Amino acid sequence: MRNIKNGSGTILLGEDELEVRSYLEMALRCQGYSVETAQDGEELLSCLQNNLGTISAVLLDLVMPRKDGLETLKEIRRIDKNLPIIIVSGASSPLNVVEAMKNGATDFLGKPISPEDLQQAIKSALEKTSAASAAAITQEKPA
């Protein structure tokens, strides 16, 4: 069961730029989250497989080496259809946003990202997932 309380849980962060990764990791830790980091899509998927069930959400850069964010997003959706995935990118063209959302992204943030925008996006993504899980459980119960 994922920990979805605001300001707790583990965020898996996929970002290839060291400075951006360090900034986002620090911002997430200051907001009370544990953070696992990966510098490309392959590393992120490996980390996700090793920590299945303990990751609360994924923060995923769109442009990364080895396996880009869109390919990684599709792979994550094969592994877990409900995991909140927030795409972050400096290339936030409407086409990128639409493509990411069509492939299962929960949200899309353009860089640079303020700590407030990051906090709100994660809180919103976790609440949506929590509501969807509650609805699914309610539907499964016999009347």
Side-chain angles (χ1 to χ4, degrees):
M1 180 84 182
R2 290 191 183 99
N3 187 348
I4 55 172
K5 192 177 85 181
N6 186 33
S8 65
T10 302
I11 307 299
L12 178 53
L13 168 61
E15 169 61 60
D16 62 317
E17 294 179 48
L18 177 60
E19 298 81 15
V20 177
R21 189 169 61 243
S22 296
Y23 163 77
L24 291 172
E25 181 179 7
M26 181 184 64
L28 289 166
R29 288 190 191 282
C30 286
Q31 294 171 17
Y33 296 101
S34 297
V35 182
E36 295 288 333
T37 62
Q39 56 189 352
D40 61 50
E42 292 288 340
E43 192 176 322
L44 184 135
L45 288 168
S46 176
C47 186
L48 180 62
Q49 292 280 17
N50 292 333
N51 295 287
L52 269 180
T54 64
I55 301 296
S56 303
V58 174
L59 200 59
L60 179 63
D61 186 19
L62 199 56
V63 180
M64 293 188 297
R66 289 179 41 183
K67 188 179 287 253
D68 70 21
L70 202 52
E71 284 180 72
T72 305
L73 170 64
K74 291 174 185 176
E75 287 289 321
I76 294 169
R77 281 295 168 238
R78 285 188 199 100
I79 297 167
D80 188 332
K81 293 187 182 343
N82 300 314
L83 183 65
I85 303 170
I86 301 166
I87 299 292
V88 296
S89 182
S92 56
S93 74
L95 184 60
N96 286 339
V97 175
V98 168
E99 194 65 25
M101 299 308 274
K102 266 189 355 188
N103 283 284
T106 310
D107 203 348
F108 193 107
L109 293 174
K111 293 178 186 174
I113 303 166
S114 73
E116 296 79 19
D117 288 345
L118 181 62
Q119 183 175 30
Q120 184 55 46
I122 291 174
K123 181 180 178 201
S124 176
L126 293 175
E127 285 173 354
K128 282 180 199 170
T129 302
S130 179
S133 294
I137 290 168
T138 301
Q139 288 178 348
E140 288 174 8
K141 290 183 180 176

